[in-house]
Amino acid sequence: MIKNVSVIGAGTMGNGIAHVFAQAGHSVVLIDVAAAQLETALKTIEKNLDRQLAKGTITGPQKEETLRNITMETDIKKGVAAAHLVVEAATEQELLKLEIFKQIDAAAPPDCILATNTSSISVTKIASVTGRPEQVIGMHFMNPVPVMKLVEVINGYATRADVSAAIIGLSEKLGKIPALANDYPGFVANRILMPMINEAIYSLYEGVAGVEAIDTIMKSGMAHPMGPLQLADFIGLDVCLSILNVLHQGLGNPKYAPCPLLANMVASGRKGVKSGEGFYIYTQGSGDLVVSEKFR
Ligand code: CAA
């Protein structure tokens, strides 16, 4: 039975993943090399639990129990020593993930399942640096993790069927909706989402329409909660660029080539919400969406 879950990386995805496992009653160890990042993550989890409390979707005691279920650790080896499942949610860099998987493979119990929250890096490649590739799987949560229902479960080339079934069952117990994909570039979510975002950026680049018109058309016309340009800012323009590069290189089809405007924005440090500017400007504390001066 999967009771003890170790989550590696206390960024946006890691803290959301720790939140949902702890809320479902798991003992969670949240691991990050930076102690300050762990403190920030815990504050974020508390803030998001307070939102749920204010909406009446959880009670005060449930909030307290969720927080009690989370411990923090800066030492990866100690943090995974008693894990039944490790979910890696570190920065989306292949070499970093390969190094982390070598470390967790050496320190986690032999029957522990090793999952990665990667949005596009090959699960099969990650599995290949471990001594247990059949127990390595993709568990791709969506941002914001406490809100979004989907878990894209990705079978690596060697993933065992019972491991896949266990992760699907576990995702359901978290109140999520799992969907299974095989390990090809971008899996399903980003293979379909990123070309749409890229096409929205091309529409802007070629002067078909402005930022607000593109987002309004997709929001009001297709019932998307965010327009594609706002969503790109929310995901991170650097992340969008790197996923498009994985699709382009991995599938070898020019239709996935990232728009030059996206490459320029990332090169100039405009990465969306996290850098304060992308297609829109994000001023601290302001709820209004203001189009970047570059596109007015
Ligand atoms: N934790 C807990 N609850 C949260 C939350 C968080 N981090 N963020 C928002 N919420 C809750 C709010 O409390 C609110 O709850 P109610 O519906 O009960 O009132 C609800 O979510 C909506 O929040 P807001 O009213 O503040 O804002 P909103 O209506 O604009 O919704 C949003 C915000 C949920 C982010 C919505 O805009 C949305 O669904 N956007 C699209 C998100 C999306 O597409 N995510 C996938 C990105 S792709 C990805 O993650 C994968 C990848 O590999 C790139």
Side-chain angles (χ1 to χ4, degrees), residues 48 51 55 119 140 142-144 146-147 190 225-226 231 235:
N48 287 331
R51 285 193 206 221
K55 300 274 177 210
S119 50
H140 184 203
M142 303 291 128
N143 186 19
V147 180
N190 281 316
M226 285 176 169
L231 182 58
I235 292 168

Side-chain angles (χ1 to χ4, degrees), residues 13 19 48-49 51-52 55 57 119 140-148 190 193-194 225-226 231 234-235 239 243:
M13 296 307 287
H19 176 148
N48 287 331
L49 285 166
R51 285 193 206 221
Q52 293 169 278
K55 300 274 177 210
T57 53
S119 50
H140 184 203
F141 291 83
M142 303 291 128
N143 186 19
V145 181
V147 180
M148 305 304 285
N190 281 316
L193 176 65
M194 287 302 154
M226 285 176 169
L231 182 58
F234 178 68
I235 292 168
V239 175
I243 297 172

Side-chain angles (χ1 to χ4, degrees), residues 100-150:
I100 288 173
F101 268 80
K102 282 184 203 159
Q103 289 182 33
I104 42 185
D105 185 40
D111 53 355
C112 176
I113 296 176
L114 311 184
T116 172
N117 179 58
T118 183
S119 50
S120 62
I121 296 168
S122 163
V123 174
T124 306
K125 190 158 187 187
I126 291 173
S128 74
V129 301
T130 73
R132 57 181 106 184
E134 65 292 341
Q135 280 163 238
V136 177
I137 191 160
M139 203 176 181
H140 184 203
F141 291 83
M142 303 291 128
N143 186 19
V145 181
V147 180
M148 305 304 285
K149 287 285 180 199
L150 178 71

Side-chain angles (χ1 to χ4, degrees), residues 9-24:
T12 311
M13 296 307 287
N15 78 56
I17 294 167
H19 176 148
V20 297
F21 274 110
Q23 196 179 323

Side-chain angles (χ1 to χ4, degrees), residues 148-159:
M148 305 304 285
K149 287 285 180 199
L150 178 71
V151 178
E152 187 180 29
V153 177
I154 302 120
N155 276 337
Y157 205 74
T159 309

Side-chain angles (χ1 to χ4, degrees), residues 62-74:
Q62 281 172 322
K63 175 192 156 184
E64 294 312 320
E65 198 197 328
T66 302
L67 289 171
R68 266 199 308 277
N69 284 343
I70 303 174
T71 52
M72 297 188 288
E73 180 58 67
T74 51

Side-chain angles (χ1 to χ4, degrees), residues 29-101:
V29 184
L30 181 57
I31 306 166
D32 200 294
V33 283
Q37 184 70 40
L38 287 170
E39 292 301 331
T40 309
L42 204 61
K43 285 197 186 105
T44 306
I45 293 171
E46 195 160 2
K47 192 185 80 195
N48 287 331
L49 285 166
D50 281 336
R51 285 193 206 221
Q52 293 169 278
L53 193 59
K55 300 274 177 210
T57 53
I58 58 166
T59 62
Q62 281 172 322
K63 175 192 156 184
E64 294 312 320
E65 198 197 328
T66 302
L67 289 171
R68 266 199 308 277
N69 284 343
I70 303 174
T71 52
M72 297 188 288
E73 180 58 67
T74 51
D75 182 328
I76 220 177
K77 292 199 165 143
K78 276 193 208 153
V80 303
H84 302 127
L85 168 70
V86 177
V87 183
E88 170 276 320
T91 312
E92 199 63 2
Q93 287 167 11
E94 189 174 305
L95 289 178
L96 176 69
K97 287 193 192 280
L98 298 183
E99 183 48 41
I100 288 173
F101 268 80

